[in-house]
């Protein structure tokens, strides 16, 4: 007799597992840490508007946003993302999202975050929730 096939449960990050837009949270984090110029802050406001109205080139924005980290070591960027997650994102992780992850885990489903966000944003959330895969 064959074992039943495992099912997959895919979760989005923004406004699903996290109640807020993590891009906004990251921009605020960078601004508060004086890691974002006024020009970058204004550009980020434009990106958030474009995202809201559905006119958003995720690849271009990701390239430009990560450009703000140009010259920084991978270790520094990872440490920064973990600090950002802990202080700015974790308080907004949705109780409903946590419950859905727990229910799917209990059923033995394969868990994955499906997001256009960078691994710097998705990996800390996945680790926090015990989600094995990030796509």
């Amino acid at each position: 007799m064959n074992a039943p096939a495992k099912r997959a449960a895919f979760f989005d990050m923004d406004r699903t597992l996290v109640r807020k837009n993590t891009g906004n949270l990251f921009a605020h984090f960078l601004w508060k840490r004086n890691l974002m110029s006024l020009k970058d802050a204004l550009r980020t406001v434009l990106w958030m508007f474009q995202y809201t109205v559905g006119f958003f080139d995720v690849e271009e924005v990701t390239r430009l946003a990560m450009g703000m980290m140009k010259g920084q070591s991978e270790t520094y960027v990872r440490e920064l993302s973990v600090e950002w997650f802990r202080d700015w994102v974790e308080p907004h992780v949705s109780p409903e999202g946590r419950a859905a992850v727990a229910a799917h885990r209990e059923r033995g489903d394969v868990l994955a975050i499906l997001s256009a966000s960078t691994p710097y944003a998705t990996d800390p959330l996945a680790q926090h929730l015990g989600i094995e895969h990030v796509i």
Side-chain angles (χ1 to χ4, degrees), residues 38-59:
L38 180 57
K39 177 183 174 187
D40 288 334
L42 293 172
R43 186 169 32 180
T44 301
V45 169
L46 175 63
W47 293 339
M48 290 301 121
F49 173 74
Q50 290 173 335
Y51 177 78
T52 301
V53 298
F55 182 70
F56 189 72
D57 183 345
V58 71
E59 290 180 16

